[in-house]
Amino acid sequence: MLKNEGAVVVFSGGQDSTTCLFWALEQFAEVEAITFNYGQRHKLELDCAAEIAVELGVKHHILDMSLLNQLAPNALTRDDIAIEQKDGELPTTFVDGRNLLFLSFAAVLAKGIGARHIVTGVCETDFSGYPDCRDVFIKSLNVTLNLSMDYNFVIDTPLMWLNKAETWALADELGAFDFVRERTLTCYNGIIADGCGDCPACGLRRRGLEEYVASRETRGAGL
């Protein structure tokens, strides 16, 4: 029974990871959250994540991952790199090795506290072209982590096959729709809630929200 097990949630304070945190609190007996400080441009997400963890009563760990900033210059760690995506190329917001490292360190924490589950909000449906958000990568890493530590981890990806509208629907099912809408930070420019409205993350979030709200209103009208 999952209710008797523990989990570590990879947590940024954004829409997806906050939805996953609410999901994990429904699924597991013990839940802790882990956030990584890698010199990201939108550092406000660290404060946002800490505040959410306190409000939800979740033990929260913040790890220094500044080495990633040194190794992987990108639009999320450098002010002089524009946020853009050119045809046939990865977005400039892609951070090489980020999910590989984040999940690996989350696994070390999980084993240390006796938790078997690692929860992450990666998604292949709306994944912005990031290769480390694909299901095949997660399954491969899951096997590698189990072998490397001789410990049976399960990497849970509740959003893997959901689009953004369906992610909003899940938050609503969990009773967290307003919380996620008002308290989370998805914006690459570090603006909480609806964000700047211009960056790719805000665009994806807004389109999903509008689609979900429209479908909910249609259902409410009985159409």
Side-chain angles (χ1 to χ4, degrees):
M1 291 291 292
L2 296 183
K3 284 290 186 182
N4 298 323
E5 299 182 7
V8 170
V9 179
V10 178
F11 185 55
S12 70
Q15 174 193 357
D16 293 342
S17 66
T18 302
T19 301
C20 285
L21 183 57
F22 274 97
W23 179 85
L25 289 168
E26 289 271 324
Q27 299 292 321
F28 303 105
E30 300 290 336
V31 175
E32 298 188 13
I34 185 169
T35 301
F36 299 92
N37 181 357
Y38 59 98
Q40 54 267 58
R41 185 157 72 176
H42 48 306
K43 290 183 180 178
L44 182 62
E45 75 175 21
L46 301 174
D47 297 330
C48 184
E51 290 170 4
I52 291 172
V54 168
E55 184 163 346
L56 297 183
V58 174
K59 186 173 181 179
H60 186 217
H61 309 262
I62 299 179
L63 267 61
D64 179 6
M65 294 289 290
S66 54
L67 180 62
L68 184 58
N69 184 296
Q70 294 174 248
L71 292 172
N74 58 84
L76 294 189
T77 61
R78 301 289 188 275
D79 290 332
D80 58 348
I81 299 177
I83 296 172
E84 59 184 2
Q85 180 171 10
K86 298 178 181 178
D87 289 343
E89 298 181 10
L90 286 171
T92 57
T93 51
F94 175 63
V95 183
D96 283 310
R98 182 171 58 174
N99 284 340
L100 172 64
L101 292 173
F102 286 5
L103 290 166
S104 297
F105 278 94
V108 175
L109 173 63
K111 184 176 181 181
I113 64 174
R116 296 282 181 182
H117 292 263
I118 305 163
V119 182
T120 176
V122 298
C123 168
E124 189 164 322
T125 305
D126 285 329
F127 74 128
S128 301
Y130 293 178
D132 60 358
C133 289
R134 294 176 298 176
D135 187 58
V136 65
F137 162 71
I138 295 297
K139 285 183 167 57
S140 172
L141 181 60
N142 202 151
V143 173
T144 298
L145 291 175
N146 291 0
L147 292 173
S148 69
M149 298 188 207
D150 195 23
Y151 191 80
N152 291 324
F153 294 106
V154 176
I155 302 179
D156 293 286
T157 56
L159 310 184
M160 180 58 76
W161 306 113
L162 304 184
N163 61 30
K164 272 294 181 286
E166 291 166 333
T167 299
W168 282 111
L170 176 59
D172 207 1
E173 291 169 15
L174 294 167
F177 178 82
D178 289 336
F179 188 101
V180 171
R181 184 172 185 179
E182 297 167 4
R183 299 292 304 281
T184 62
L185 194 163
T186 303
C187 175
Y188 288 150
N189 291 310
I191 301 174
I192 289 176
D194 292 335
C196 69
D198 295 323
C199 73
C202 284
L204 190 60
R205 173 175 168 139
R206 183 185 64 253
R207 288 192 296 273
L209 176 61
E210 291 172 350
E211 181 181 340
Y212 174 63
V213 170
S215 68
R216 187 172 65 174
E217 290 174 350
T218 299
R219 291 196 305 273
L223 300 177

